[in-house]
Amino acid sequence: MTSSLIRGRPRRAGRAHISVRVVHTLVGGVAGVVWLVLPGMTINAAVPVPAARTTPGTATATVAKVDAAQEEDEKSTIDLVLPLVAVGAAVVLAGYAYVRRTRRARNRTTPARISAHPVQPSPTAPPLPELDDRARALLIEADDWVRTSREELGFARARFAEAAAEPFTKVLRDAEAELSAAFRMRQQYDDGVPEDATARRHALAGMVGRCQEAGRVLDAEAPAFDRLRGLDLGVGEALAIAETRFRELAGRTGATETTLTELGDRYGPAAVDSVTGYVEHAKDRLVFTTSRLNESRQSADRGENRRAIRHLREAEGAVTQAAEFLTAVDELATDLARAEALLPPALTGAEAELSAARAAGGEGSPAAQVPPAELHARHARADLVLAAVREELTGGPYDPLDALRKVVRAVLPVAGGRAGVLAVAASLVAGSSVRGADGFVATHRGVVGVTARTRLAEAVRLLRAEPADPLAADALARDARALAERDVRAHGNPIAGAAEHASGLAGAVLGEVLLHGGTPPSFGGPRTRARHTDDDLS
């Protein structure tokens, strides 16, 4: 590879040659000025003296007088012209020097000075651990801003035409894009990229900036969103929508509870472990919703509209999370049924993939660069996995999603993906894991930390990428779920009293239906999401 310094020499030589020519031109110009001026220095501008006959004596005297006059004129002319020439030359040279310095600074491609010591951060810059803590906290907050805004936007869509909500849908997408980029940077940061301390500081600053921009775009549109909902004019219509949704969910709890029981009987407890207790959580949120809907309507009847708005937002947040719990059970039932139907053809396709991979010697597969001995061992392990899964199918209740996961994990890394059924199976498994993890984070976000959210965001990105990476997405989503559950166990519930649990208040705080201080979050960023506070109540 040719050095950049070597590649740059001909260009610099050319520029130097041009500079020499410019100097020559300027010097020639100065010489021309002097040449034009000097004749004037020898010409007597006095009135000519008529010729006269003279004697030698008078001639000598006359010549002396003329010489003296010429000498006086020459001195006067020199005194006038030489300063002008000097000043002109100085101006020309100074202008040339300025142009040359400016051009050199503009065209410089290397640092002006190379130092053996790296640039140190400003003494006023926060230490790296402090900046890291700030980035982590902002990622959590920005994730909550986006989730809450998405939830309240759903209630606006239920009341108004889609066209009316479209501007805020676009704003939400912009905020989601900023947050996704920030989480992507965090994932790379956790993976050790970049390694340099200064670059890592810049990466943290980038995360902070992205999160702040997400909050800014949401804050900017919060007043317009409030005008769209029109709650200041009365909560009647919005309250009716929330009450209708509450009644629908209350009617679903019995059927969903039955579904959960049937799933456990059919597939075993392990298959439904991820949603165990979800029906109880839904009922808990609905208890809280009941009290808040009643308080909102009573406040509206008393003319206390601000208080009515606050209680309405609390009810909307709780009813959204109740729906999340019940929907998670129904979605798992669908995924288990699809996995059960897909498993036999997936096994057949996997065996065909392995046979084709053996015949091709690994050519065209993800393991093409693997040494033959290692490739043979992988094929043997895949055979064992397929045999174990077939045995599960005949051995009693089993988890079809987990069985399908085993198949795709064993075969896809060593096969060429010729059988489309394996790609479908991998997408089904990853999608189920991502939805499960996202629902858990959403309903427990009052205590879930940044690492779980980062892994979840990366899983979502990989699942939506072109081409998608379902194996990595599935692994990251399962990791995110495990980390989120650990956070819940570590922090517990901020409110642990029996009365709070009976009223649903403890669950509302755990799910951040209520912020610390009892304020419900709303559409917006850091400046506007807590605008329905006690100070605003009339």
Side-chain angles (χ1 to χ4, degrees), residues 140-176:
I140 294 173
E141 292 176 14
D143 192 37
D144 290 342
W145 304 334
V146 169
R147 289 180 181 275
T148 301
S149 298
R150 187 187 301 128
E151 291 169 359
E152 189 174 1
L153 182 58
F155 285 95
R157 288 199 187 100
R159 181 181 174 188
F160 302 100
E162 186 65 30
E166 178 57 30
F168 306 102
T169 302
K170 182 182 182 303
V171 168
L172 182 60
R173 284 198 298 265
D174 292 342
E176 289 172 339

Side-chain angles (χ1 to χ4, degrees), residues 471-490:
L471 291 181
D474 177 62
L476 282 165
R478 287 166 62 82
D479 187 28
R481 174 66 181 262
L483 290 167
E485 291 178 348
R486 187 186 67 182
D487 290 337
V488 172
R489 289 192 300 270

Side-chain angles (χ1 to χ4, degrees), residues 38 125 150 155 184 192 233 252 292 325 329 348 386 402 431 511:
L38 282 178
R150 187 187 301 128
F155 285 95
R184 176 61 180 147
L233 303 178
R252 280 177 56 187
R292 292 314 191 259
F325 283 123
V329 176
T348 302
L386 296 183
D402 186 61

